[in-house]
Amino acid sequence: MSSLLIVAEHRNGKLKKSSFEAISKGASVAKDLGLTAHVLLVGGNEVAGLTAEAANYGVSSILTVTDPKLSAYANRAFATAVSEVAKAKSATVILLSATALGRELGAFVSVKLDASLASDCTELHSAGGNLKVIRPVYTGKALSTVELKQPVKVITLRPNAFPAVSSPSSPSVEAVSVTFSDKDFACKVVDTITASGKLDVAEAEIVVSGGRSLGSAENFKILEDLAAVLGGAVGASRAAVDSGYRSHEDQVGQTGKVISPKLYIACGISGAIQHLAGMSSSKVIVAINKDKEAPIFQIADYGIVADLFEIVPALTEELKKRSH
Amino acid sequence: MNIFVCVSQVPDTATRIKPAADGKTIDKTDVNFILNPYDEIAVEQALRVKEAHGGEVTVISVGDDTVLNTIRKAIAMGADKAVHIKTQEEVDGISAARAVAEILKTANPDLVFTGKESVDSNSGQFATFLAALLDINVINVAVKFDLTGSHIRAEREIEGGKEVVETSLPAVVSCQKGLNEPRLPTLKGIMASKTKKPEEVAFSGGASWTAITELVKPPAKPAGKIVGADVSAVTALVDLLHNEAKVI
């Protein structure tokens, strides 16, 4: 029987939230299309500890490919693992998160399985048994409906664009054996550098972002304080990044990250078209800016026309007060 | 060192995108096309590798004659020569990758650089497609790149951090902002870009595996609410985020 395969991603012994989103979506798509859903975990010994959690989002069949050599990410080996499992399970739909890892594996698997690929999708409809895939193009300035012509379809889902719906079940775990060649390990991760506890703007549910009017890297501290109270991440406009206030991995916009958080708070950002393209699909947008003509107010749900240096600390205090 | 750079042209990032009458493509009237910003970083990296290790940089692009401008920009930056894979059709990423892979199979490059994505299709898949088709190594979203002999040590951006990746030539590397600061074209380069004619090659990428069936503007947001113009608005804002938007 044909199946739908969801590739779950884990780091530091924990499954990623975006994988729960993909599993939830995969469970409902599989039901609509009449496919059996499987979650695939690839990795070293740490995988055994992840199967229970993987079964909490509507799919109980967990497949594992484990090998001590897979405890560090090696893109070609992981791609071989996913492709081999997809073949063994006659998968016709393969879902991944549109993360650094998911985007890379998606493209590999597409070539290995002669499958159509749609990356970074924000909508996936399967009612009536037909798959309809929608993805933003031109950095969110347009939405495209993509026809996937091949019998096998690989789809990566944008983090935060789909809800993770908890639906606990007892996992049935099957270890799948895959044979690797030396070539599979010719490109491998030897170290990971993480800013301690730093949340990535692309994955955060709440993003507090600043523009050039912050005036210095030090002044971003007030945005960090606000983000900390909200459990969010700090982003920046291109102007702020080019001025050296933040590093480019925090940049939101057309040549930075394109994000869809639950809440986006734009502080002192005027809203150049390139920036709007990167964040306009946020669910709720708050703008704080002195200039009432700033384009950011045209897409903001809530605006405060005032100096961010007065508003942001007051907002942080108010939120602190209420959390007690 | 035999180095290739894959480049594409994209609408200038300041462009307002309008769907065309066919409902599937964009209206190209008044659109200024530029070298994809990430591809500019790829061209720069190729030139730096050539300067440090010797060799030749070849630019390769797929499309109709309008891509010639993009190719010229890369030559003006310092690329030695160019290949233009000519097609009038709109082709998808895998089909373009197959056409480029065809050329690279006989060219035997040591390194192929691409941008981490093009700012039109935003797929970020091309480098991996190429590597998979050629059965060689790939590093995506590189922000640091060191080559010693045939050994590569690079850093790539991941969510919330970086991965240090090691591999060996031949390899495809997709380039991210932060890897380098692209140079401006020189006068000598601009002159060269006018005389160096790209080698024209017929497209042999086969069928596309995807097609855009509809292209629309994102739904417009209803006008927002100005909550206030001073610090007294903060309480009201928090109430709205709690009770109306329900996001905190």
Side-chain angles (χ1 to χ4, degrees):
Chain A
M1 181 178 172
S2 302
S3 72
L4 178 147
L5 188 66
I6 305 135
V7 182
E9 192 178 335
H10 52 95
R11 278 201 194 273
N12 307 323
K14 273 163 76 179
L15 284 165
K16 293 188 106 176
K17 179 175 158 281
S18 55
S19 292
F20 298 143
E21 295 163 8
I23 296 168
S24 280
K25 189 64 200 173
S28 73
V29 171
K31 206 171 181 192
D32 287 344
L33 301 184
L35 302 171
T36 311
H38 306 282
V39 175
L40 171 61
L41 291 164
V42 180
N45 297 330
E46 73 281 8
V47 162
L50 300 171
T51 54
E53 208 185 5
N56 278 348
Y57 291 84
V59 179
S60 57
S61 166
I62 313 297
L63 310 173
T64 60
V65 175
T66 52
D67 187 309
K69 281 203 282 187
L70 296 170
S71 58
Y73 177 55
N75 52 17
R76 299 172 80 172
F78 273 56
T80 298
V82 175
S83 307
E84 290 306 308
V85 171
K87 276 190 235 164
K89 297 294 171 187
S90 312
T92 53
V93 180
I94 299 159
L95 297 184
L96 306 99
S97 301
T99 54
L101 178 142
R103 280 182 169 228
E104 183 167 72
L105 288 185
F108 262 117
V109 171
S110 156
V111 172
K112 283 175 177 272
L113 301 178
D114 288 348
S116 294
L117 169 65
S119 309
D120 203 22
C121 300
T122 50
E123 289 179 52
L124 185 53
H125 303 282
S126 51
N130 293 315
L131 208 53
K132 184 178 176 187
V133 179
I134 296 182
R135 57 184 303 270
V137 287
Y138 300 96
T139 327
K141 291 177 188 170
L143 296 175
S144 67
T145 304
V146 186
E147 179 194 354
L148 302 176
K149 299 178 171 185
Q150 293 294 96
V152 179
K153 301 166 202 328
V154 180
I155 301 166
T156 71
L157 306 177
R158 178 177 295 183
N160 279 334
F162 299 88
V165 186
S166 166
S167 170
S169 66
S170 321
S172 80
V173 181
E174 180 190 342
V176 182
S177 138
V178 172
T179 312
F180 296 100
S181 70
D182 287 347
K183 244 195 228 172
D184 283 323
F185 296 94
C187 181
K188 57 180 190 295
V189 172
V190 294
D191 196 8
T192 305
I193 307 163
T194 38
S196 59
K198 190 180 163 188
L199 199 54
D200 191 80
V201 283
E203 294 188 314
E205 286 202 327
I206 297 181
V207 174
V208 179
S209 221
R212 182 161 36 204
S213 56
L214 264 291
S216 71
E218 296 71 45
N219 286 345
F220 265 81
K221 175 77 169 56
I222 61 168
L223 303 194
E224 276 165 9
D225 291 344
L226 177 56
V229 182
L230 292 165
V234 174
S237 71
R238 177 174 177 172
V241 171
D242 286 354
S243 303
Y245 304 162
R246 298 296 288 189
S247 68
H248 69 88
E249 63 250 29
D250 298 336
Q251 186 184 321
V252 175
Q254 196 157 6
T255 51
K257 287 182 175 148
V258 183
I259 59 174
S260 308
K262 195 167 75 175
L263 173 61
Y264 189 85
I265 306 181
C267 307
I269 289 178
S270 64
I273 184 168
Q274 294 92 336
H275 186 78
L276 300 184
M279 46 62 78
S280 57
S281 64
S282 305
K283 273 147 220 104
V284 175
I285 298 167
V286 172
I288 300 166
N289 201 305
K290 274 196 287 201
D291 175 12
K292 70 175 194 313
E293 306 298 333
I296 191 82
F297 286 119
Q298 285 163 24
I299 65 152
D301 298 277
Y302 305 110
I304 296 183
V305 185
D307 188 353
L308 75 96
F309 290 102
E310 286 172 30
I311 302 300
V312 172
L315 188 53
T316 308
E317 281 315 306
E318 180 67 23
L319 289 162
K320 267 189 196 159
K321 211 158 71 189
R322 298 209 194 186
S323 67
H324 288 166
Chain B
M1 192 82 42
N2 186 9
I3 309 160
F4 273 74
V5 193
C6 307
V7 300
S8 68
Q9 61 167 356
V10 296
D12 189 320
T13 57
T15 308
R16 288 180 193 282
I17 297 296
K18 259 197 318 207
D22 67 0
K24 296 175 186 180
T25 55
I26 61 159
D27 181 351
K28 291 182 179 164
T29 325
D30 301 329
V31 174
N32 179 30
F33 284 89
I34 59 165
L35 172 59
N36 177 40
Y38 296 112
D39 296 349
E40 224 170 287
I41 300 168
V43 173
E44 176 64 34
Q45 199 57 38
L47 296 173
R48 289 186 186 194
V49 170
K50 177 193 155 178
E51 283 154 9
H53 301 269
E56 190 175 55
V57 174
T58 309
V59 174
I60 188 162
S61 192
V62 180
D64 61 16
D65 280 343
T66 62
V67 305
L68 290 171
N69 268 335
T70 303
I71 290 176
R72 270 186 217 113
K73 167 89 188 269
I75 291 176
M77 285 175 71
D80 298 293
K81 51 182 196 164
V83 178
H84 174 197
I85 303 176
K86 216 170 162 172
T87 171
Q88 304 299 326
E89 311 274 314
E90 295 263 343
V91 297
D92 74 347
I94 187 69
S95 166
R98 278 190 227 110
V100 172
E102 262 322 290
I103 308 286
L104 296 184
K105 266 174 201 159
T106 45
N108 270 317
D110 299 298
L111 272 167
V112 183
F113 290 103
T114 73
K116 70 127 184 163
E117 66 178 60
S118 65
V119 300
D120 52 1
S121 71
N122 304 122
S123 294
Q125 59 194 17
F126 196 81
T128 312
F129 278 165
L130 264 189
L133 290 166
L134 296 169
D135 198 23
I136 62 176
N137 296 311
V138 63
I139 296 171
N140 275 293
V141 206
V143 289
K144 195 163 186 285
F145 178 87
D146 290 311
L147 177 67
T148 316
S150 67
H151 179 81
I152 300 169
R153 187 177 166 95
E155 288 177 14
R156 77 185 207 107
E157 200 175 281
I158 58 165
E159 296 73 26
K162 287 173 191 136
E163 281 176 344
V164 182
V165 183
E166 288 188 354
T167 191
S168 55
L169 300 177
V172 184
V173 179
S174 86
C175 304
Q176 162 71 316
K177 209 178 157 182
L179 178 64
N180 59 46
E181 204 51 58
R183 70 193 64 187
L184 295 169
T186 59
L187 188 61
K188 188 172 154 236
I190 294 167
M191 297 308 288
S193 74
K194 290 186 173 143
T195 51
K196 280 184 194 165
K197 292 275 168 270
E199 180 193 347
E200 253 183 41
V201 181
F203 181 82
S204 62
S208 289
W209 283 348
T210 61
I212 292 180
T213 55
E214 197 184 7
L215 187 87
V216 295
K217 289 197 74 133
K221 283 198 101 166
K225 216 182 262 180
I226 296 295
V227 186
D230 57 44
V231 96
S232 68
V234 164
T235 325
L237 175 65
V238 175
D239 285 340
L240 287 165
L241 293 177
H242 256 300
N243 306 327
E244 189 176 271
K246 296 185 168 49
V247 287
I248 58 170

